[in-house]
Amino acid sequence: IFLLYILWSYSPELPSYAELKNYNPSLTTRVFTSDGVLMDKYFIEERLFVPLDRIPINVINAFISAEDKKFYNHFGIDLFAIFRATITNIYNKFSNKRLIGASTITQQVVKNLLLTNEISIERKIKEIILAIRLEIILPKNKILELYLNDIYLGYGSYGVASASLNYFNKSLQELTLDEAAFLAALPKAPNNYNPKTKYWKAIERRNWVLDRMFNNKYIDADELLLKNKELIVQNRYEDKFEEAKYFKEEVRKQLNKILGNNNLYNDGYIVKTTIDTRLQKI
């Protein structure tokens, strides 16, 4: 009766099934020259969407190991993890230790996309209800795809594709196993594992992810030797056409008129213009 009362109380305040099913994350619109050189980008949060079947298996396994090893077996929430976290937090409350969470990947998707970061019992109840709803209407792989393309990983990176470029100047397909493990170490607290300011914490967390991958049988013992590997961060480089500023601004104004400001900065269009870089330089 108590559970039914909670569902009845909170359900009217929550997004509908249709909103959940049709949700699309904010994406970056990119403008190219006629010969394929990047000329401009428009975004609120820089995010490059990559379908799940194009995300390397090491990246997927690293995030599942680090964040939710039971992802393919639960119904949106992990009851055992919630129970364990509740008992641990009761102890931590009285000993002034940091409280721990028990969020599944599905719950993180719901929190990131549909709720605020407010810490309260009410928000947690809403998160649990929405996570169960999301599992009913979307397949597991779609939920995982949303998660990997939306999660904030520091350095202004939303999603794994953007993070791969910002940390390593690489596409997802070029990432090594240890680099994938490092990205999977970031969701809980990206600033705490910034390799430029907290290098050894970043190494420790990356190695923890590699251990989890080994325990979950995603990698073998030989690959644990990667724990000794240096973590090398590369500044992102983009071959961007910086000339023709007046042309570039005219393109932005026309796109804004045709698409509207909100769509231009959120819908991830790929725009090809008439400009030829060779002729422009001449």
Side-chain angles (χ1 to χ4, degrees):
I1 291 171
F2 177 67
L3 289 174
L4 287 171
Y5 172 74
I6 288 174
L7 288 171
W8 177 79
S9 299
Y10 286 99
S11 287
E13 304 172 22
L14 300 176
S16 67
Y17 281 83
E19 285 180 76
L20 290 173
K21 194 169 185 177
N22 298 325
Y23 178 83
N24 289 308
S26 173
L27 299 174
T28 302
T29 291
R30 287 173 290 167
V31 181
F32 293 90
T33 64
S34 63
D35 45 343
V37 180
L38 180 66
M39 194 168 68
D40 213 347
K41 297 186 292 185
Y42 312 116
F43 58 86
I44 296 171
E45 298 172 349
E46 187 173 14
R47 184 183 286 102
L48 305 173
F49 186 86
V50 181
L52 190 67
D53 59 7
R54 287 177 52 203
I55 297 176
I57 193 66
N58 279 337
V59 174
I60 293 170
N61 291 341
F63 275 86
I64 287 176
S65 295
E67 294 296 312
D68 187 1
K69 68 178 183 179
K70 298 179 182 175
F71 174 69
Y72 282 103
N73 298 316
H74 61 60
F75 57 96
I77 59 173
D78 185 340
L79 293 173
F80 177 75
I82 291 172
F83 176 75
R84 183 184 59 208
T86 302
I87 299 301
T88 304
N89 284 337
I90 290 171
Y91 171 78
N92 288 353
K93 187 77 173 173
F94 288 103
S95 54
N96 292 321
K97 291 184 178 178
R98 187 173 65 88
L99 301 183
I100 65 168
S103 293
T104 63
I105 281 175
T106 312
Q107 285 175 262
Q108 290 183 59
V109 168
V110 162
K111 183 184 78 172
N112 293 339
L113 305 189
L114 302 167
L115 297 173
T116 66
N117 287 323
E118 172 198 3
I119 299 173
S120 68
I121 293 174
E122 282 191 4
R123 189 195 61 75
K124 200 67 180 176
I125 291 170
K126 291 177 181 178
E127 181 185 294
I128 289 170
I129 295 170
L130 284 171
I132 295 170
R133 282 186 178 182
L134 199 62
E135 291 268 349
I136 292 170
I137 61 175
L138 289 182
K140 286 280 188 182
N141 282 351
K142 182 62 180 175
I143 294 170
L144 186 59
E145 183 180 81
L146 277 172
Y147 173 77
L148 292 173
N149 279 290
D150 194 80
I151 189 75
Y152 181 67
L153 297 171
Y155 271 11
S157 312
Y158 292 86
V160 290
S162 180
S164 180
L165 290 169
N166 289 339
Y167 283 99
F168 301 113
N169 195 33
K170 291 181 177 181
S171 70
L172 279 175
Q173 284 68 28
E174 296 173 306
L175 286 179
T176 58
L177 173 59
D178 55 296
E179 289 168 344
F182 169 71
L183 294 185
L186 294 170
K188 286 286 188 289
N191 292 334
N192 290 348
Y193 306 112
N194 182 330
K196 288 192 174 180
T197 58
K198 299 177 180 176
Y199 180 80
W200 291 111
K201 276 193 170 185
I203 288 284
E204 182 183 356
R205 183 71 176 175
R206 178 202 68 184
N207 291 350
W208 175 82
V209 175
L210 288 169
D211 284 332
R212 293 292 293 262
M213 293 181 77
F214 175 71
N215 293 337
N216 293 332
K217 297 181 172 57
Y218 290 130
I219 62 175
D220 56 37
D222 290 342
E223 289 171 305
L224 283 178
L225 294 173
L226 290 169
K227 289 164 68 175
N228 301 317
K229 190 175 175 183
E230 188 180 359
L231 180 59
I232 300 172
V233 176
Q234 303 270 5
N235 290 328
R236 181 174 177 179
Y237 171 76
E238 282 184 309
D239 184 15
K240 193 174 179 185
F241 190 64
E242 298 290 356
E243 300 174 38
K245 289 185 169 62
Y246 291 103
F247 179 87
K248 191 186 297 186
E249 175 59 13
E250 187 62 27
V251 168
R252 188 199 64 79
K253 287 195 292 187
Q254 288 195 29
L255 286 172
N256 193 62
K257 185 177 180 180
I258 296 165
L259 302 171
N261 193 65
N262 187 58
N263 292 343
L264 178 59
Y265 282 82
N266 284 287
D267 286 1
Y269 291 97
I270 303 296
V271 182
K272 189 172 182 180
T273 66
T274 57
I275 203 163
D276 181 305
T277 57
R278 186 184 64 85
L279 293 176
Q280 180 66 24
K281 285 175 181 175
I282 293 169

